[in-house]
Amino acid sequence: MVIAIIAVLIGLLLPAVQAARESARRSQCQNNLRQLGIAMMTHESAKKGLPPMAIHWTTADMTKAYGAAFTGNWYDDHGWYMQVMPFLENGGLAGLVRVDKSFSDPANFAARRTFVPTLACPTDIGLQKNEWPSATWARVRFNYVVNAGNTVYGQHNLGSCPGAFPTCVKFGGAPFGPRTRTKISKLSDGASKTLMLSEVLVLPETIPWGGPYSDAQTALGGQVFTGYKTPNAQGAANADALCRQQEWWTAVKDGWSSQKLPLSAAGTPAQPVAVPPGAPADSYADSNGHKQQFIVARSKHPGGVNAARCDASVAFVGDDVDPYLWNALTSAGGGEAVSN
């Protein structure tokens, strides 16, 4: 009888203990985002703008910056990651970062392989290695990504509102874009009404490349999320749209399944979005569809994701957030009404 009573009590207490642990993990995740948001704002103050989500936006940009001997592509270069690391109170890593060299340059090998605990949400599987033996491409996958707007990575209107909602917000700019630094003061919707950062899940370690999802150090597109779909959107119609699947899907599909990421009707991630008429050429013109990707904000927190705004405040956003509100929060301009 005593054993039975103890078992019942344990059964009653266990959910409360698990809930308390998740509450602590969620708070730690929010603190990580807050620290990263403050680092972004320190960068903004020191450099007169938030870091570009991609330092270069075409291969011609890369050749101009690094010389004719450089043989890589624009999407192999820096995203925002190394630009903001010197402001994250990590002196050791700051000394390794070389933004004057390409991301894949051997000068950045040690910086690419440095684990930064602040970038890992404790509810997820932790920081993961990617192509670790490669002197050129070894890097770390992590949870936190910047807001590229309520559209695709190429940042242009799609001809209709994202996600085909009955009422939603067309692309109105974003706090992070290619090539140039965005001043927070130029966000016409206001810093407190524009998202800066949110979460994605991390794919488990792979030796071959595991694809752009959570590959957040580079300019490949995995360093951003967009408001094209609402947080943690599930079902075949809400699978993240990713490029170059023939190169990486076989290696990573078990990890994709273990992280419970949604698949398209074809049983893979969704393909890049079709280019609408009139889109600017450098916002979509590459051979692999990088700029027509979209990545949805996702987490393992029950019921939603953590997100930081451009004033460095952090809050939990529920999966049931109104699509119009999510569109508006991920848009940097347009004057939409946003309730705090």
Side-chain angles (χ1 to χ4, degrees):
M1 180 65 72
V2 172
I3 293 174
I5 292 172
I6 292 173
V8 170
L9 291 174
I10 291 174
L12 293 172
L13 287 172
L14 188 58
V17 171
Q18 291 174 333
R21 287 176 176 172
E22 168 52 24
S23 179
R25 289 191 291 262
R26 193 170 82 178
S27 294
Q28 180 59 52
C29 181
Q30 290 179 338
N31 186 56
N32 290 346
L33 279 167
R34 187 172 294 107
Q35 289 187 56
L36 188 53
I38 291 170
M40 290 285 186
M41 295 182 73
T42 306
H43 179 287
E44 199 268 354
S45 178
K47 302 291 186 180
K48 310 305 180 187
L50 295 169
M53 68 181 187
I55 290 182
H56 300 105
W57 203 226
T58 66
T59 300
D61 290 348
M62 296 279 282
T63 302
K64 182 178 179 180
Y66 302 125
F70 180 78
T71 58
N73 292 289
W74 67 269
Y75 48 78
D76 296 323
D77 202 34
H78 296 279
W80 57 267
Y81 171 77
M82 286 196 183
Q83 301 176 72
V84 82
M85 285 302 105
F87 301 93
L88 200 58
E89 298 185 2
N90 190 325
L93 177 55
L96 299 174
V97 170
R98 292 289 302 275
V99 182
D100 62 315
K101 300 287 187 179
S102 74
F103 177 78
S104 57
D105 191 284
N108 279 315
F109 178 61
R112 284 189 274 111
R113 288 169 52 113
T114 299
F115 280 64
V116 181
T118 305
L119 299 177
C121 172
T123 302
D124 202 5
I125 61 175
L127 303 175
Q128 297 291 306
K129 299 174 183 177
N130 186 82
E131 298 181 272
W132 209 242
S134 171
T136 304
W137 305 123
R139 52 199 181 273
V140 179
R141 292 181 181 268
F142 54 84
N143 289 103
Y144 304 123
V145 291
V146 301
N147 172 23
N150 57 332
T151 182
V152 292
Y153 182 42
Q155 296 190 319
H156 55 75
N157 283 324
L158 299 175
S160 63
C161 288
F165 300 125
T167 57
C168 61
V169 181
K170 292 185 178 180
F171 177 57
F176 296 88
R179 294 181 174 137
T180 59
R181 298 185 178 102
T182 302
K183 292 184 178 180
I184 291 178
S185 62
K186 298 296 184 182
L187 303 177
S188 60
D189 282 353
S192 66
K193 296 181 180 180
T194 305
L195 294 186
M196 175 189 283
L197 297 148
S198 191
E199 303 177 76
V200 293
L201 300 177
V202 176
L203 292 179
E205 176 180 351
T206 57
I207 298 299
W209 182 44
Y213 188 87
S214 71
D215 189 356
Q217 289 183 338
T218 74
L220 276 158
Q223 79 278 28
V224 307
F225 78 98
T226 75
Y228 192 85
K229 304 284 185 177
T230 51
N232 289 321
Q234 295 296 310
N238 295 310
D240 300 74
L242 299 169
C243 69
R244 295 164 61 180
Q245 293 178 31
Q246 70 280 4
E247 298 177 38
W248 53 267
W249 176 240
T250 299
V252 81
K253 63 182 180 181
D254 288 344
W256 197 271
S257 175
S258 70
Q259 289 293 66
K260 296 181 172 59
L261 286 157
L263 298 175
S264 71
T268 64
Q271 293 296 321
V273 177
V275 180
D282 69 357
S283 71
Y284 69 84
D286 74 273
S287 60
N288 296 293
H290 295 84
K291 296 177 182 178
Q292 295 306 112
Q293 300 177 111
F294 66 80
I295 289 177
V296 180
R298 300 187 186 280
S299 82
K300 287 190 174 179
H301 305 300
V305 298
N306 289 315
R309 303 193 188 200
C310 288
D311 61 358
S313 64
V314 180
F316 188 72
V317 181
D319 295 342
D320 59 352
V321 61
D322 181 78
Y324 180 93
L325 175 58
W326 185 246
N327 273 202
L329 285 169
T330 51
S331 166
E336 312 88 13
V338 176
S339 172
N340 290 318

